[in-house]
Amino acid sequence: MKAVVMDGVKAPLVVRDVPVPEVGPRDALIKVMACGVCRSDWHLWQGDWSWVGLSLPMPAILGHEQAGVVEKVGAEVHLIKPGMRVLTPFHNGCGACSYCVSGDSNLCERAGRRTGGFAQYAVIGGADFNAIPLPDEVSFAAGAAMGCRFMTAYHGVADRGEVKGGDWVVVNGCGGIGLSAVQVAAALGAQVIAVDLDETKLSRARQEGALVTVDATDANVPARVREITGGGADVSVDALGIKATMLNSVGSLRKGGIHVQIGLTSAAEGGQVSLPIDAMVFSEIEFRGSLGNPHHHYRPMLNMVVSGKLNPESIVSERIALADVPKVIESMGNFGTVGFTSIEDFS
Ligand SMILES: [Zn+2]
Ligand SMILES: [Zn+2]
């Protein structure tokens, strides 16, 4: 099968023929129908996140936002059958640890990180738990987006941010996750302020439901947000993970506000950013991490997609072929992509 192969950190990505992956007794093999190219793929290609113990054995096939059709299943798979349309979260759950059984499968003790989506076929390990049926009404591109960026934004906004109607919500960084967060917060009835340096991305944010946009190029973002909201936002999301967006986000909150950290840092921060702790204590600001989306929260999210209240497909701005992946990943170093870039041609 054809796949985009990574031979080493920052080494040129190449499209070549590799064997179709083996299917273990609890696995499913899917024919990949769509796979998003996510900023996390770029981070892994850069060798980021070694500071949290994340590094891939080489050679590796990146790609963790895939949806497809089940081709075959292992002998111990009972619920997932060949021919089913499925998506899968980027975080594999074991289905048996205390986190998985209490519903927090995104925090699984034995979590595996999904890879292998930049290929014609991919394996979903522990398929009965980790393959999520994709309703017929939902496209493969939308399903792929719900493997990582869209579902990550959903969990960050709806669960960790506890966003409700009428809240002022700031979204810092309007890449794929940021635009998704804008859409989800607006669908929940919040008043959304989108912040970015790029007018194209801010214009996309307005299309996804942002009430106000702030160009951070020259603005003092916290001061501007306080002015717009009359004292600060209820919830603020850092969808990017650099020092500036994190500090702008925390500084934009009203007393008692919730900061949701979705973006992971890059080499410049190496996982460490100083925060204004005293100001956060005096204002009872909460700092919450948000990772992926627990498996059982797919149900409400998919319900909202089927009923049209959420629309991951509207954030797909480019549909590409497998052969285009290397240049798209390389362009992510200078934030060259807008919305979701989705591979739909695997020939
Ligand atoms: Zn587990
Ligand atoms: Zn991702």
Side-chain angles (χ1 to χ4, degrees):
M1 67 170 187
K2 279 197 184 125
V4 179
V5 181
M6 170 177 168
D7 289 311
V9 167
K10 295 180 191 170
L13 297 165
V14 283
V15 180
R16 62 170 179 252
D17 276 313
V18 297
V20 173
E22 299 281 323
V23 182
R26 298 178 60 231
D27 302 344
L29 182 75
I30 63 166
K31 183 178 198 308
V32 183
M33 301 301 288
C35 185
V37 183
C38 172
R39 195 159 183 80
S40 298
D41 296 308
W42 175 83
H43 276 291
L44 290 167
W45 180 59
Q46 289 287 301
D48 290 344
W49 306 341
S50 55
W51 48 87
V52 284
L54 239 172
S55 48
L56 296 175
M58 295 295 143
I61 300 172
L62 297 173
H64 58 276
E65 256 191 23
Q66 62 265 53
V69 177
V70 177
E71 189 84 1
K72 66 175 171 183
V73 298
E76 293 167 27
V77 176
H78 305 296
L79 304 173
I80 297 299
K81 314 254 186 235
M84 284 173 76
R85 305 167 84 245
V86 295
L87 68 95
T88 184
F90 71 82
H91 43 75
N92 245 7
C94 72
C97 74
S98 63
Y99 293 101
C100 282
V101 296
S102 62
D104 299 323
S105 53
N106 55 327
L107 305 178
C108 174
E109 272 173 23
R110 290 180 278 270
R113 203 186 158 81
R114 185 163 315 292
T115 53
F118 297 163
Q120 290 174 315
Y121 294 91
V123 161
I124 300 177
D128 274 346
F129 191 69
N130 292 309
I132 294 177
L134 182 65
D136 286 340
E137 303 91 321
V138 184
S139 71
F140 286 112
M146 284 184 280
C148 178
R149 284 170 288 182
F150 196 86
M151 60 84 144
T152 294
Y154 176 83
H155 177 58
V157 169
D159 302 329
R160 301 297 286 152
E162 298 178 39
V163 167
K164 49 195 186 306
D167 280 354
W168 278 107
V169 175
V170 185
V171 175
N172 296 277
C174 294
I177 286 190
L179 290 176
S180 306
V182 168
Q183 190 192 101
V184 173
L188 294 173
Q191 312 188 98
V192 183
I193 302 170
V195 183
D196 203 283
L197 298 167
D198 181 336
E199 181 44 42
T200 311
K201 293 179 184 175
L202 291 174
S203 140
R204 287 298 299 266
R206 287 190 288 275
Q207 288 167 21
E208 297 302 336
L211 202 61
V212 191
T213 52
V214 175
D215 183 336
T217 313
D218 309 307
N220 176 332
V221 172
R224 185 79 189 97
V225 170
R226 282 169 192 288
E227 190 186 323
I228 295 163
T229 58
D234 301 274
V235 180
S236 185
V237 174
D238 178 8
L240 186 56
I242 61 171
K243 185 180 172 191
T245 50
M246 206 178 295
L247 293 178
N248 280 345
S249 176
V250 169
S252 295
L253 291 166
R254 71 198 295 267
K255 289 184 178 182
I258 299 173
H259 164 88
V260 180
Q261 186 64 41
I262 295 179
L264 289 164
T265 70
S266 305
E269 292 81 16
Q272 306 276 342
V273 173
S274 300
L275 292 170
I277 296 299
D278 295 340
M280 289 168 71
V281 171
F282 278 118
S283 299
E284 290 199 342
I285 298 294
E286 281 191 65
F287 188 104
R288 297 186 179 179
S290 186
L291 178 73
N293 184 41
H295 289 52
H296 70 104
H297 288 187
Y298 270 89
R299 185 172 167 274
M301 177 174 64
L302 283 166
N303 283 345
M304 289 180 80
V305 173
V306 170
S307 69
K309 292 191 177 74
L310 293 177
N311 182 11
E313 181 109 30
S314 78
I315 301 173
V316 177
S317 52
E318 210 183 346
R319 296 168 200 269
I320 62 167
L322 204 54
D324 301 324
V325 171
K327 72 169 192 289
V328 169
I329 297 232
E330 282 156 27
S331 80
M332 287 180 151
N334 48 22
F335 300 94
T337 56
V338 178
F340 298 143
T341 300
S342 188
I343 312 164
E344 293 189 14
D345 174 2
F346 290 81
S347 58

